[in-house]
Amino acid sequence: MGRRYAFGVDLGGTNVRVVLGDDEGRILARLSERTEIGRGPEGISKQIVRMIRSMRVKGFRLDEAEGVGIGSAGPLDLKRGGLMNPTNIPYEFVPLVEPISDELGLETRLLNDCSTAVMGERFFGAGKGMDNLAYITLSTGIGGGVYVDGHLLIGKDGNATEIGHFTVDYDGRLICGCGKRGHWEAYCSGANIPNYVDLILMEREQSEVELSLLSMIRRREGKISARGLYEAAKAGDRLALEIVDQIGRLNAVGFACVNDAYDPSLITVGGSITLNNVELVMNPIRRYISEHSRNRIPEIRVTPLGEDVVLYGALALIFYGIS
Ligand SMILES: [Zn+2]
């Protein structure tokens, strides 16, 4: 049997993960490290090369791999093959494709991490054989990847589906990491849920806040993290449950926009906020989406690929390419 092999890379501002996998979706080896952002613009490609070289699988030689697929947090400059002013990395441009392919002699392909994830879903996950498919991540940030009529949406710079920057609050009470006001990610992402919780608590009666588990968490941690909020909700705290419901309403608005713009048959959902709080995240989206979406509501489910969805997509990027 001619099994095909490739390396898949999930590159984030915090961690970089590398796998060796085959075209049937088997992961043969994996490595994870903190992203080395302090070693110059070339440091990250050097780290990825070192990680790939250090992966040992019995009977496997590096030159048997067909290539290196990279799914990376944006913004990307796909024409130059690297990251352009990345959010958590202090360089104007981080080259990836050229130094990695030169060093390893392997074809190297780069794509936005959420676009990579939807590829993973289509070839290895819940979207097999589907031509109209969206993937949404609710994590530190919010992002999406979309196929329409079998085509992966890319855009002029590779940022066609930056859905986290949909405006969901035209009053613009909170400012997004991108600097603009009212964006979905400014309210519902893991990094920004603490700001939204503060905003809601300011509008509440202080006596009600004092009685809630949330004020205890705030005394202990200074700010109420996404984790703290969902833990209080799981413990049955009424105010925490109400806030989780409000976050769910905004998520439903975002999902409705995705549904009305792209008309998918299936939306799969991933990211740490979702994977750690499946019921609390998914139930309000399913409950409220039809209040906002004009198009027929698609199936909405958690990705079966879990935290590995980008890695599977990075493999698919080499085996199947972008269509
Ligand atoms: Zn934004």
Side-chain angles (χ1 to χ4, degrees):
M1 274 299 290
R3 269 165 83 182
R4 303 170 63 192
Y5 299 96
F7 292 100
V9 180
D10 178 358
L11 174 60
T14 311
N15 294 306
V16 52
R17 301 164 69 208
V18 180
V19 295
L20 171 65
D22 70 13
D23 60 335
E24 287 171 20
R26 276 180 290 239
I27 305 280
L28 287 85
R30 62 168 72 226
L31 268 180
S32 176
E33 293 184 0
R34 303 290 283 186
T35 310
E36 292 176 355
I37 59 175
R39 303 195 174 191
E42 307 275 348
I44 293 172
S45 59
K46 286 190 177 127
Q47 179 181 20
I48 291 170
V49 165
R50 177 176 51 69
M51 287 171 78
I52 286 174
R53 286 207 167 117
S54 73
M55 295 187 103
R56 301 258 181 268
V57 173
K58 206 169 173 229
F60 171 82
R61 294 188 328 271
L62 187 71
D63 63 7
E64 288 179 85
E66 289 182 28
V68 181
I70 307 171
S72 175
L76 306 179
D77 184 335
L78 285 186
K79 291 186 193 79
R80 294 171 72 196
L83 313 183
M84 175 175 64
N85 299 311
T87 314
N88 301 310
I89 301 171
Y91 309 111
E92 195 182 310
F93 182 71
V94 174
L96 293 170
V97 171
E98 214 176 82
I100 291 171
S101 64
D102 285 355
E103 194 63 38
L104 295 174
L106 294 173
E107 183 178 3
T108 302
R109 294 180 183 167
L110 172 68
L111 197 62
N112 167 287
D113 53 0
C114 292
S115 298
T116 309
V118 78
M119 286 193 75
E121 203 69 84
R122 188 166 190 237
F123 290 100
F124 295 114
K128 278 183 194 156
M130 279 190 188
D131 282 343
N132 293 287
L133 173 68
Y135 169 82
I136 296 176
T137 181
L138 304 172
S139 186
T140 311
I142 292 177
V146 179
Y147 278 95
V148 176
D149 301 333
H151 298 289
L152 184 66
L153 303 185
I154 304 286
K156 64 185 185 305
D157 294 319
N159 306 314
T161 47
E162 282 287 341
I163 63 171
H165 307 279
F166 282 169
T167 299
V168 297
D169 174 15
Y170 68 85
D171 287 331
R173 292 169 297 166
L174 293 178
I175 301 175
C176 186
C178 74
K180 307 294 161 83
R181 289 184 173 274
H183 289 179
W184 181 9
E185 184 172 296
Y187 297 73
C188 302
S189 69
N192 292 323
I193 281 175
N195 301 332
Y196 191 34
V197 173
D198 278 351
L199 187 73
I200 295 170
L201 292 186
M202 275 191 311
E203 293 164 353
R204 295 295 184 125
E205 292 289 338
Q206 278 317 297
S207 55
E208 184 193 13
V209 176
E210 284 303 315
L211 286 172
S212 162
L213 269 180
L214 296 175
S215 68
M216 196 187 79
I217 293 170
R218 188 155 63 181
R219 275 196 299 276
R220 195 178 62 204
E221 297 173 9
K223 232 170 174 8
I224 296 156
S225 64
R227 180 194 293 261
L229 172 69
Y230 284 100
E231 276 175 10
K234 282 174 191 164
D237 184 73
R238 215 184 65 195
L239 184 54
L241 282 166
E242 281 179 35
I243 295 174
V244 161
D245 192 66
Q246 286 199 42
I247 290 170
R249 278 183 176 273
L250 284 187
N251 282 336
V253 171
F255 274 63
C257 291
V258 168
N259 189 45
D260 287 339
Y262 308 118
D263 200 14
S265 313
L266 168 69
I267 300 177
T268 66
V269 196
S272 56
I273 299 281
T274 312
L275 298 174
N276 293 328
N277 310 287
V278 170
E279 301 291 314
L280 290 172
V281 169
M282 298 295 285
N283 290 347
I285 293 169
R286 293 197 179 106
R287 192 178 315 132
Y288 299 124
I289 185 170
S290 58
E291 292 179 21
H292 302 283
S293 187
R294 181 263 179 207
N295 282 352
R296 192 159 55 83
I297 305 302
E299 183 189 351
I300 303 172
R301 58 176 286 192
V302 173
T303 175
L305 301 176
E307 290 180 344
D308 288 339
V309 63
V310 174
L311 290 166
Y312 279 102
L315 296 174
L317 188 55
I318 294 302
F319 295 134
Y320 308 107
I322 294 167
S323 53

